[in-house]
Amino acid sequence: MTQFKPGTKALWSGEKEQLAYGATQVPVVHSVSFGYDDMDEWHEIATGKREGHIYGRNTNPTTQAFEDKVKDLEGAEAATSFSTGMAAISNTLYTFLRPGDRVVTIKDTYGGTNKIFTEFLPKSGVDVVFCETDDHAEIEVEIANGCQVLYLESPTNPTLKIIDIERMAKAGHAAGALVIIDGTFASPVNQNPLELGVDLVLHSATKYLGGHSDALGGIVCGSKELIDQIYHYREINGATLNPMASYLLLRGMKTLHLRVERQNENAMKVAQYLKTIDWVDDVFYPGLEEHKGHVIAKRQMKGFGGMLSFSVKGGLETVHQLLPKMKLAKRAASLGCVQTIIGPPRTTSHVECTPEEREAMGIPEGLIRYSAGIEDIDDLIADLEQAFNSLPKELYAKDA
Ligand SMILES: *Cc1c(COP(=O)(O)O)cnc(C)c1O
């Protein structure tokens, strides 16, 4: 399926191999184990000499279809899946890191990822260095000081900073590091980091891949050699994606390209609208020309994504009054859903962090993250407009 365009892959990749009985859709194979009458065949499959399934913690046909689809969309040789995005991240890091190793990363990683770096990896004797997210020169200096893993994320959560992926991958490889990137915010429709030179690209499938906020999952794509090692760590440690979630993710992915294209459009229009609103101090969206990472984003992304954030005058108080007024935005954690989702980082992506830690990451308490859905744009804009119009003017005066 590698010759086809993303929209075609989203529909056809990974499916044919898993169809039985003339079914046109991949079934949910709810089976813990897979049996064989022929002892030699069983042994060959169990020892990896022949393709097939043995036990549900290792592999499953529905899950394999999901993995194959994402693998094709990322243009990867192999992929392996996990129960959540965080499992994909932690299992991948623990596969490769040893006591005494050094990781170079950025300050703006996803909140849970940041906790792995600050809380768990140090307990395993791994040293983690945090760089200013879009200070490429600083990252290069730290990489040159020596590291086994360079861990990136782009665009970042929640202020949509952009990393020059090709430049960082080159620097990482020059130092002999394994280069890993979390591409969740972009989805494989907007960005394919393997083409830009990274070794592994991860996704929280919970977000754009599934797209309907009804299933958790994670996936990592890369060379067969690397994925085999990560798969082995996961099959033993057990953070396996279950068949029902695989099916939901697989089903969601059939419209991935349509959803993401619409979300790209909606996010751009919402960002442009927010720029015209007096209540709004800053709008963070890589599609805006004045965004610090716009030129890099334009070069390395096929679309600017459905995520944006903005800060409001009056800070936290304005956030508290504005969000409940919005009728067409779910006030919830998560992102990348067909419906618009809105929330402050202090209760969503960075809830694990203290206000001081958020401040150090450059996340103002008055920041609002907006995950554009696929609604009609006129309705989304009108909804924002009525919500801003309902705010008491005293709040504005406080900050103006
Ligand atoms: C949500 C998210 C994760 C974690 O994924 P889960 O599926 O919630 O475990 C990791 N990285 C990014 C960028 C995310 O948005």
Side-chain angles (χ1 to χ4, degrees):
M1 288 280 155
T2 47
Q3 73 273 32
F4 295 115
K5 296 223 157 70
T8 309
K9 287 179 182 172
L11 287 152
W12 291 92
S13 281
E15 306 230 345
K16 193 166 167 234
E17 297 76 5
Q18 310 306 336
L19 297 176
Y21 319 111
T24 59
Q25 302 302 322
V26 173
V28 192
V29 181
H30 280 303
S31 184
V32 162
S33 55
F34 300 83
Y36 299 91
D37 291 334
D38 181 330
M39 294 297 110
D40 292 329
E41 184 188 7
W42 188 4
H43 186 257
E44 278 177 19
I45 292 170
T47 52
K49 291 190 188 78
R50 208 201 287 196
E51 293 232 345
H53 304 282
I54 294 288
Y55 187 59
R57 173 153 42 72
N58 310 352
T59 64
N60 169 283
T62 317
T63 302
Q64 192 181 330
F66 165 68
E67 290 168 343
D68 286 346
K69 204 183 270 299
V70 183
K71 179 191 83 170
D72 262 18
L73 280 162
E74 281 294 13
E77 203 180 7
T80 194
S81 62
F82 300 85
S83 52
T84 63
M86 282 315 303
I89 294 166
S90 60
N91 282 234
T92 298
L93 288 168
Y94 276 96
T95 298
F96 298 106
L97 290 168
R98 303 285 171 272
D101 280 356
R102 187 167 180 267
V103 177
V104 171
T105 189
I106 51 171
K107 286 187 182 167
D108 286 29
T109 52
Y110 176 75
T113 309
N114 188 264
K115 278 288 155 193
I116 294 183
F117 290 141
T118 54
E119 192 178 332
F120 295 104
L121 281 179
K123 281 189 204 166
S124 310
V126 174
D127 194 20
V128 184
V129 187
F130 298 91
C131 302
E132 278 312 320
T133 298
D134 44 12
D135 186 343
H136 294 92
E138 184 193 344
I139 305 173
E140 278 167 343
V141 168
E142 287 299 345
I143 293 169
N145 286 339
C147 66
Q148 281 65 44
V149 165
L150 170 64
Y151 186 95
L152 306 168
E153 197 175 311
S154 188
T156 62
N157 195 357
T159 50
L160 286 299
K161 290 186 185 136
I162 301 291
I163 292 198
D164 188 331
I165 300 172
E166 201 165 8
R167 176 173 165 186
M168 292 299 99
K170 273 203 190 97
H173 289 151
L178 183 70
V179 183
I180 307 173
I181 189 165
D182 181 337
T184 301
F185 265 41
S187 90
V189 174
N190 284 330
Q191 178 175 285
N192 300 115
L194 298 173
E195 286 173 4
L196 300 166
V198 310
D199 299 303
L200 293 165
V201 55
L202 302 148
H203 291 280
S204 165
T206 315
K207 316 294 170 52
Y208 286 100
L209 295 180
H212 294 71
S213 272
D214 56 5
L216 291 153
I219 191 153
V220 55
C221 309
S223 70
K224 186 170 182 315
E225 195 211 333
L226 293 174
I227 295 298
D228 279 351
Q229 294 175 65
I230 304 169
Y231 162 74
H232 180 61
Y233 187 96
R234 192 265 291 154
E235 72 167 331
I236 302 302
N237 286 276
T240 307
L241 183 64
N242 74 69
M244 190 62 216
S246 300
Y247 175 81
L248 290 169
L249 297 171
L250 200 54
R251 179 176 168 133
M253 280 187 63
K254 289 181 185 174
T255 53
L256 178 69
H257 55 305
L258 296 179
R259 286 187 278 112
V260 170
E261 276 162 24
R262 177 66 164 254
Q263 283 161 323
N264 288 347
E265 280 171 33
N266 282 358
M268 179 64 116
K269 286 182 181 149
V270 167
Q272 283 166 342
Y273 164 78
L274 288 170
K275 269 181 30 179
T276 68
I277 302 300
D278 290 340
W279 281 98
V280 176
D281 275 333
D282 278 310
V283 183
F284 303 97
Y285 185 63
L288 296 176
E289 269 174 31
E290 64 269 31
H291 186 278
K292 201 178 160 198
H294 176 71
V295 173
I296 301 169
K298 210 169 156 180
R299 192 172 63 227
Q300 70 188 16
M301 297 178 80
K302 290 151 187 132
F304 296 112
M307 295 301 299
L308 60 112
S309 62
F310 58 101
S311 59
V312 286
K313 291 202 171 69
L316 202 52
E317 235 178 293
T318 304
V319 175
H320 281 193
Q321 299 216 23
L322 183 74
L323 297 199
K325 299 274 165 50
M326 295 184 57
K327 298 185 182 84
L328 298 178
K330 300 233 183 238
R331 285 159 290 276
S334 202
L335 58 103
C337 179
V338 282
Q339 287 140 321
T340 293
I341 298 179
I342 199 162
R346 63 190 291 277
T347 46
T348 58
S349 60
H350 290 69
V351 67
E352 295 95 345
C353 308
T354 63
E356 294 74 34
E357 283 172 332
R358 281 193 295 271
E359 163 111 48
M361 288 179 210
I363 303 169
E365 294 296 277
L367 191 73
I368 296 170
R369 197 179 69 177
Y370 189 98
S371 166
I374 62 169
E375 297 91 343
D376 284 294
I377 186 64
D378 294 347
D379 292 328
L380 291 181
I381 302 276
D383 189 43
L384 278 161
E385 190 154 31
Q386 63 79 26
F388 278 117
N389 287 341
S390 73
L391 291 174
K393 291 281 174 285
E394 311 86 78
L395 266 180
Y396 182 90
K398 260 194 194 168
D399 232 36

